[in-house]
Amino acid sequence: RKREYSMIIHNMKTNRQVNPIGIDSRSLCFSWNVQATRKNWKQEAYRIILVNKREALQDEEEFLWDTGWLETDLMVNIIYTGSELSSDTRYYWQVSVIANDSDDISTSEITYFETGLFHASDWRGKWIGEVEDHNYHIFRKNFRLEKEIQRAKLYVCGLGHYEFNINGTRIGDCQLEPGWTNYNKSCIYSSYDVTKELKKGDNALGNFLGDGMYNVPGGRYVYYSRTFGKCKLLVQMNITYKDGTTTEIVTDETWRMAPSPIKFCCIYGGEDYDSRLERSDEHTSEL
């Protein structure tokens, strides 16, 4: 009589991340681990299925990628070889495995990843930013949503560094975003799921900018001075309503500016912050 045991597939990753939401590379790799209740367990084969709708996992005609059964014990760096992926899209995938000396098939939970913006043309907004020397500003956008929201995805590139807020709530938990690059060649953006931060009715976006390594103004201790220009901001928020229609909120001439509490900012020399210039969310309409 065959001894029964269980296999639990876990730690599923796309590009070495769990449920990433900002993949902007078409080169994907998948990995997972398996927890088994017997010793000397070994994966004999696996099968991965990928779709762009969760319910499509039940319909073979909807599969975007199906590896079929591949006889291997490999669980890491499984390279995606399916069709070209679309920008700003959530994809779902699931893996099944067969153990050695067993016909039992174990199937994972459904996991997902989301793509970022692959093409420059995907960005609908334009750069906005500081134009005067030695001044910093708060950038604001007030807008109204007339329908119930299904999904909202925010993309932000703030140079040199930024802090973004929606309706008075800070977005993200990282400091000094984005990372440093040779800004003449590339600029990094960050992706956020902000569905829960938005609401039907009036909403407000706010952003602080700091110089970082993008602009080293000097004035205090400076290891070396350099500049790629004044602080600037590029934002795109893609919103999908529950009725299937979409809209975009992007940086353009409708964004307003007000004096920032940041009075001085240097990656070497620190920051001067005047809290008297802070503005509460209720006063965003004044900007």
Side-chain angles (χ1 to χ4, degrees):
R1 183 174 179 269
K2 184 175 65 175
R3 182 179 179 183
E4 295 183 356
Y5 62 95
S6 63
M7 297 181 294
I8 301 174
I9 302 171
H10 65 106
N11 199 28
M12 298 169 65
K13 295 182 179 181
T14 306
N15 284 15
R16 301 173 183 85
Q17 301 173 77
V18 177
N19 298 336
I21 65 169
I23 292 179
D24 61 357
S25 170
R26 292 181 179 83
S27 299
L28 300 180
C29 64
F30 302 97
S31 64
W32 59 88
N33 296 118
V34 177
Q35 180 180 345
T37 58
R38 74 175 173 95
K39 296 181 180 179
N40 301 319
W41 178 90
K42 183 179 179 181
Q43 176 183 288
E44 188 171 276
Y46 75 80
R47 180 189 183 189
I48 299 176
I49 297 171
L50 183 142
V51 296
N52 60 5
K53 294 181 293 185
R54 190 182 184 94
E55 60 272 17
L57 286 166
Q58 310 303 319
D59 185 354
E60 290 190 10
E61 294 184 359
E62 297 278 345
F63 293 173
L64 299 180
W65 185 48
D66 182 358
T67 64
W69 285 104
L70 299 177
E71 295 186 5
T72 175
D73 61 357
L74 190 64
M75 297 182 190
V76 296
N77 293 331
I78 309 300
I79 303 301
Y80 175 70
T81 58
S83 58
E84 183 174 332
L85 303 176
S86 299
S87 295
D88 190 39
T89 302
R90 175 174 288 195
Y91 293 91
Y92 299 89
W93 66 280
Q94 198 170 36
V95 61
S96 299
V97 301
I98 298 177
N100 57 318
D101 301 325
S102 172
D103 294 329
D104 292 339
I105 297 175
S106 292
T107 299
S108 71
E109 299 290 331
I110 300 170
T111 190
Y112 68 87
F113 65 90
E114 294 182 10
T115 53
L117 303 178
F118 290 136
H119 311 285
S121 58
D122 292 329
W123 291 90
R124 313 296 188 197
K126 63 181 182 181
W127 290 100
I128 60 174
E130 306 292 3
V131 294
E132 300 178 11
D133 292 338
H134 309 300
N135 286 323
Y136 298 92
H137 291 86
I138 305 169
F139 296 85
R140 292 284 191 178
K141 171 68 176 180
N142 299 321
F143 60 98
R144 183 173 180 83
L145 300 177
E146 301 293 347
K147 303 177 185 179
E148 296 294 334
I149 302 161
Q150 178 68 39
R151 174 179 177 268
K153 187 82 167 288
L154 173 68
Y155 301 97
V156 182
C157 182
L159 303 177
H161 299 301
Y162 70 87
E163 182 177 307
F164 203 90
N165 293 270
I166 298 180
N167 296 328
T169 299
R170 182 179 172 182
I171 304 303
D173 57 3
C174 295
Q175 302 291 336
L176 302 181
E177 285 195 287
W180 301 344
T181 62
N182 180 344
Y183 299 102
N184 286 328
K185 295 182 178 180
S186 61
C187 299
I188 299 172
Y189 68 90
S190 300
S191 307
Y192 309 93
D193 185 333
V194 294
T195 306
K196 294 181 180 179
E197 280 70 35
L198 294 177
K199 59 185 179 181
K200 183 179 179 181
D202 293 328
N203 293 268
L205 309 180
N207 190 84
F208 294 91
L209 289 177
D211 285 310
M213 279 294 187
Y214 186 74
N215 179 50
V216 182
R220 296 179 183 171
Y221 166 76
V222 175
Y223 182 71
Y224 69 94
S225 298
R226 70 170 180 180
T227 182
F228 292 89
K230 297 296 291 180
C231 297
K232 60 180 62 176
L233 175 68
L234 181 64
V235 172
Q236 175 149 332
M237 186 162 60
N238 295 339
I239 301 171
T240 301
Y241 296 112
K242 289 186 177 180
D243 64 3
T245 59
T246 62
T247 190
E248 299 168 345
I249 306 296
V250 301
T251 40
D252 57 21
E253 61 280 353
T254 65
W255 286 59
R256 299 180 179 182
M257 299 169 63
S260 172
I262 298 173
K263 305 307 294 180
F264 176 83
C265 178
C266 179
I267 196 70
Y268 297 107
E271 179 183 271
D272 292 343
Y273 188 92
D274 186 347
S275 59
R276 294 172 299 177
L277 295 176
E278 289 184 348
R279 292 171 177 261
S280 65
D281 186 55
E282 298 83 42
H283 298 127
T284 56
S285 60
E286 298 177 2
L287 302 186

